[in-house]
């Protein structure tokens, strides 16, 4: 079977105030990326973005600020080199200053998901020492165990992102 | 089992880091440690700014960062060289690096903005307090001197203005021979469109001359939103004309050889760097080390 080859970039949107992340939606991210590519590489860079079926925001987690971008395979490096120049995203009338941090480049969305589950588990481990009291700690330990056991399944993925929210409160 | 690397006055530290690659998989993971050797210390701002910068750098996966103190001497009156604040006074507990179990390593770096040859005093005791020493020459004569004679680790390239001179092959090759690295910083390019043109133009001119060798890419960030992740920085330096491999080296192994060069400069004769390799792994015999894998003598086949 022949398919259109593409590259999935798993990016993390870093902001100063994490509550701003909830304002994000995929259209705003798409517009910011398009805008920056046009500014950096002009018409030549913007041309590959016209394949609407290839250039997409596949997934956006507004709680953790994780976004999957899909780029055509033959020119993803050109498009990726524009991503560091994004300084703000305009969404729902607010200007959110942020930066993109690319975590992983994968050929399929499945490898990206596997990486993301591992990454989220790692994040939980990093946050564990910052807990305020013992109950919170237990809760997170439970969450880590759960998502480690169910690795590769969809529930684990959701659980990981949910527990991360719990902890920030 | 221990592997030794000798960095002496005569051999450049770049060569030393090449030798290390011949080790087992353990050493390979050491090679890919990311470094950002330029975080600007703002004199006016309090410590919280620097703290959040270091925390963000650790989150992005940088294992070593250097806090940069910029010193700009003027001809009129004598100024004091800033003294570095010890890092344990700034931050009580260093954050753990993303994906590793070690805390981040923080170095101190002095950058001297030179417009006259008297600004660099080779024997100044103040320089010894810093881990890294960088110069930013503004004229061609000073650039030539910095490349050929000054005992420094990093030569900064201007990113905020049009190149005041052309890079010549001879001084640049001399610098590469001595293990001095050239630095391109990208945060000015993020801030402003005009700066971006200057940064890219100057960087391309440099990379053309030095063929991508001994170039490091660093952030020069003052705020935490100006930092970029190591993979992004490597990919960004493709715009500067670096090849894929050189771009990756610009954020990892070249930075490491700069740090080793600095240690060599501070000690009298040389340094020994030891690396533990896994016990199963047998080290290659010394005469095989320089030859690529395909050219090594094959082990004899027995019946």
């Amino acid at each position: 079977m022949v398919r259109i080859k593409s590259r999935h970039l798993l990016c993390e949107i870093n902001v100063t105030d994490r509550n701003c992340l909830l304002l994000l939606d995929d259209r705003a991210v798409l517009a910011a990326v398009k805008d920056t590519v046009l500014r950096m590489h002009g018409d030549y860079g913007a041309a590959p973005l016209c394949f609407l079926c290839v250039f997409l925001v596949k997934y956006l987690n507004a709680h953790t600020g994780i976004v999957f971008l899909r780029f055509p395979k033959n020119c993803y490096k050109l498009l990726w080199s524009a991503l560091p120049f994004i300084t703000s995203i305009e969404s729902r009338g607010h200007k959110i200053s942020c930066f993109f941090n690319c975590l992983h480049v994968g050929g399929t969305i499945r490898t990206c998901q596997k990486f993301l589950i591992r990454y989220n588990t790692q994040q939980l481990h990093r946050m564990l020492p910052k807990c305020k009291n013992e109950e919170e700690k237990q809760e997170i330990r439970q969450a880590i165990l759960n998502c480690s056991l169910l690795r590769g399944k969809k529930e684990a993925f959701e659980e990981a992102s949910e527990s991360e929210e719990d902890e920030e409160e | 089992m221990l592997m030794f690397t000798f960095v002496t006055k005569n051999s450049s530290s770049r060569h030393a880091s090449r030798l290390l690659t011949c080790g087992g998989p353990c050493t390979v993971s050491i090679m890919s440690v990311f470094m950002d050797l330029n975080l600007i210390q703002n004199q006016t701002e309090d410590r919280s700014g620097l703290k959040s910068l270091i925390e963000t750098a650790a989150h992005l996966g940088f294992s070593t960062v250097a806090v940069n103190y910029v010193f700009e001497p003027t001809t009129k009156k004598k100024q004091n060289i800033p003294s570095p604040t010890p890092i344990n006074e700034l931050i009580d507990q260093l954050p753990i690096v993303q994906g590793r179990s070690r805390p981040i390593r923080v170095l101190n770096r002095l950058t001297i903005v030179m417009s006259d040859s008297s600004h660099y005093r080779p024997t100044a005791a103040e320089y010894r307090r810093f881990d890294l020493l960088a110069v930013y020459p503004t004229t061609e004569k000073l650039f030539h001197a910095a490349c050929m004679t000054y005992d420094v680790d990093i030569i900064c390239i201007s990113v905020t203005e049009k190149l005041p001179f052309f890079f010549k092959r001879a001084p640049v090759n001399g610098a590469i021979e001595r293990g001095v690295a050239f630095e391109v910083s990208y945060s000015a390019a993020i801030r402003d469109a005009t700066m971006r043109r200057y940064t890219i133009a100057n960087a391309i001119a440099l990379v053309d001359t030095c063929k991508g060798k001994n170039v490091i890419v660093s952030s020069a960030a003052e705020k935490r939103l100006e930092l970029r992740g190591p993979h992004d920085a490597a990919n960004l330096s493709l715009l500067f004309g670096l090849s894929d491999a050189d771009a990756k080296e610009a954020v990892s192994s070249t930075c490491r050889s700069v740090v080793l060069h600095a240690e060599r400069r501070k000690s009298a004769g040389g340094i020994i760097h030891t690396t533990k390799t896994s016990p199963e792994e047998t080290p290659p015999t010394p005469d095989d080390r320089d030859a690529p894998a395909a050219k090594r003598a094959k082990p004899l086949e027995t019946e």
Side-chain angles (χ1 to χ4, degrees):
Chain A
M1 196 182 90
V2 181
R3 58 177 170 182
I4 303 170
K5 294 275 170 64
S6 54
R7 283 277 177 268
H8 297 263
L9 263 73
L10 172 60
C11 295
E12 184 189 37
I13 301 176
N14 286 21
V15 287
T16 34
D17 180 15
R18 287 195 76 101
N19 294 329
C20 292
L21 282 175
L22 296 174
L23 292 171
L24 289 175
D25 59 4
D26 48 356
R27 224 171 310 152
V29 176
L30 202 70
V33 173
K34 258 189 181 170
D35 212 45
T36 316
V37 169
L38 192 64
R39 211 173 62 226
M40 283 297 301
H41 299 304
D43 291 340
Y44 178 75
L49 302 186
C50 293
F51 301 109
L52 269 185
C53 56
V54 183
F55 172 58
L56 277 175
V57 173
K58 270 290 193 188
Y59 167 84
L60 172 81
N61 188 337
H63 296 291
T64 49
I66 296 288
V67 58
F68 278 13
L69 294 171
R70 187 159 85 168
F71 288 142
K73 187 195 165 194
N74 48 7
C75 56
Y76 81 99
K77 282 203 167 155
L78 184 80
L79 300 175
W80 183 9
S81 67
L83 288 188
F85 295 102
I86 296 176
T87 50
S88 63
I89 296 176
E90 200 148 329
S91 169
R92 298 183 204 169
H94 293 270
K95 203 175 169 195
I96 308 164
S97 39
C98 63
F99 69 92
F100 276 60
N101 173 29
C102 185
L103 302 171
H104 182 77
V105 181
T108 58
I109 208 153
R110 197 159 153 263
T111 57
C112 285
Q113 193 207 13
K114 273 187 195 163
F115 177 86
L116 186 57
I117 293 169
R118 212 174 59 226
Y119 179 77
N120 276 341
T121 322
Q122 222 177 63
Q123 282 324 87
L124 285 173
H125 277 295
R126 274 170 68 85
M127 288 175 177
L128 192 63
K130 289 183 195 160
C131 288
K132 281 170 212 118
N133 52 36
E134 217 31 58
E135 287 158 41
E136 234 176 41
K137 229 173 217 183
Q138 278 307 323
E139 219 170 277
I140 289 169
R141 273 208 194 103
Q142 200 55 46
I144 292 174
L145 281 177
N146 281 346
C147 72
S148 309
L149 283 174
L150 297 171
R151 174 168 290 175
K153 291 197 180 164
K154 212 178 171 201
E155 298 93 67
F157 180 58
E158 273 160 17
E159 221 161 43
S161 54
E162 264 168 31
S163 48
E164 214 159 354
E165 282 160 56
D166 288 348
E167 204 231 358
E168 271 156 26
E169 279 159 15
Chain B
M1 202 178 300
L2 288 172
M3 241 182 86
F4 292 95
T5 313
F6 292 91
V7 185
T8 54
K9 283 250 173 191
N10 301 328
S11 73
S12 72
S13 47
R14 189 188 166 79
H15 181 65
S17 66
R18 283 256 175 78
L19 273 181
L20 263 183
T21 49
C22 307
C26 185
T27 35
V28 172
S29 73
I30 291 170
M31 289 297 292
S32 62
V33 157
F34 296 115
M35 298 188 183
D36 186 349
L37 296 181
N38 196 350
L39 301 182
I40 302 276
Q41 155 77 329
N42 221 331
Q43 305 288 344
T44 52
E45 213 176 285
D46 55 343
R47 288 150 184 201
S48 62
L50 188 64
K51 192 176 174 215
S52 77
L53 259 181
I54 291 174
E55 266 166 13
T56 314
H59 174 79
L60 292 176
F62 287 109
S63 295
T64 307
V65 292
V67 179
N68 190 6
Y69 296 80
V70 181
F71 173 55
E72 196 166 1
T74 48
T75 40
K76 297 242 172 75
K77 58 176 196 265
K78 208 171 178 244
Q79 285 165 302
N80 287 329
I81 295 172
S83 63
T85 333
I87 196 60
N88 39 9
E89 270 178 38
L90 289 173
I91 303 173
D92 331 316
Q93 203 186 4
L94 290 171
I96 306 284
V97 180
Q98 177 86 50
R100 285 169 203 276
S101 51
R102 267 187 229 157
I104 193 167
R105 187 169 157 220
V106 183
L107 306 171
N108 290 311
R109 159 183 164 174
L110 179 70
T111 305
I112 310 164
V113 182
M114 289 176 63
S115 46
D116 188 78
S117 59
S118 65
H119 294 159
Y120 174 76
R121 303 198 300 277
T123 51
E126 288 93 336
Y127 295 165
R128 297 190 67 86
R129 278 188 249 141
F130 290 90
D131 298 312
L132 296 171
L133 189 57
V135 288
Y136 173 42
T138 46
T139 63
E140 182 159 19
K141 226 173 164 184
L142 289 174
F143 180 75
H144 193 278
C147 287
M148 303 305 279
T149 52
Y150 289 175
D151 201 9
V152 294
D153 310 311
I154 301 170
I155 296 171
C156 302
I157 300 305
S158 98
V159 289
T160 52
E161 57 190 5
K162 221 164 105 184
L163 209 59
F165 51 86
F166 286 108
F167 297 119
K168 296 243 176 68
R169 267 284 152 75
V172 169
N173 283 345
I176 293 170
E177 197 91 329
R178 293 171 57 228
V180 179
F182 298 98
E183 184 196 48
V184 181
S185 58
Y186 57 79
S187 76
I190 288 166
R191 266 178 241 141
D192 183 63
T194 330
M195 304 284 179
R196 190 176 306 149
R197 280 174 206 167
Y198 291 144
T199 307
I200 294 176
N202 296 356
I204 286 176
L206 172 74
V207 170
D208 264 359
T209 323
C210 70
K211 296 178 197 152
K213 302 274 178 314
N214 276 34
V215 179
I216 63 173
V217 174
S218 65
S219 68
E222 287 173 29
K223 294 191 250 38
R224 64 179 289 264
L225 286 180
E226 286 167 0
L227 272 172
R228 293 293 179 266
H231 299 291
D232 285 322
N235 194 64
L236 173 68
S237 46
L238 296 183
L239 289 183
F240 302 154
L242 290 171
S243 68
D244 278 350
D246 286 332
K248 200 162 179 224
E249 279 191 5
V251 287
S252 57
S253 57
T254 314
C255 292
R256 188 166 168 276
S257 64
V258 167
V259 173
L260 286 179
H261 184 265
E263 278 174 42
R264 202 273 296 142
R265 186 171 50 77
K266 285 171 90 184
S267 59
I271 57 160
I272 299 173
H273 188 87
T274 64
T275 320
K276 213 167 194 172
T277 54
S278 54
E280 302 89 57
E281 203 62 39
T282 48
T285 47
D287 49 342
D288 276 348
R289 244 178 225 178
D290 292 336
K295 290 192 180 167
R296 277 179 208 155
K298 277 181 197 157
L300 289 173
E301 280 175 34
T302 48
E303 280 92 82

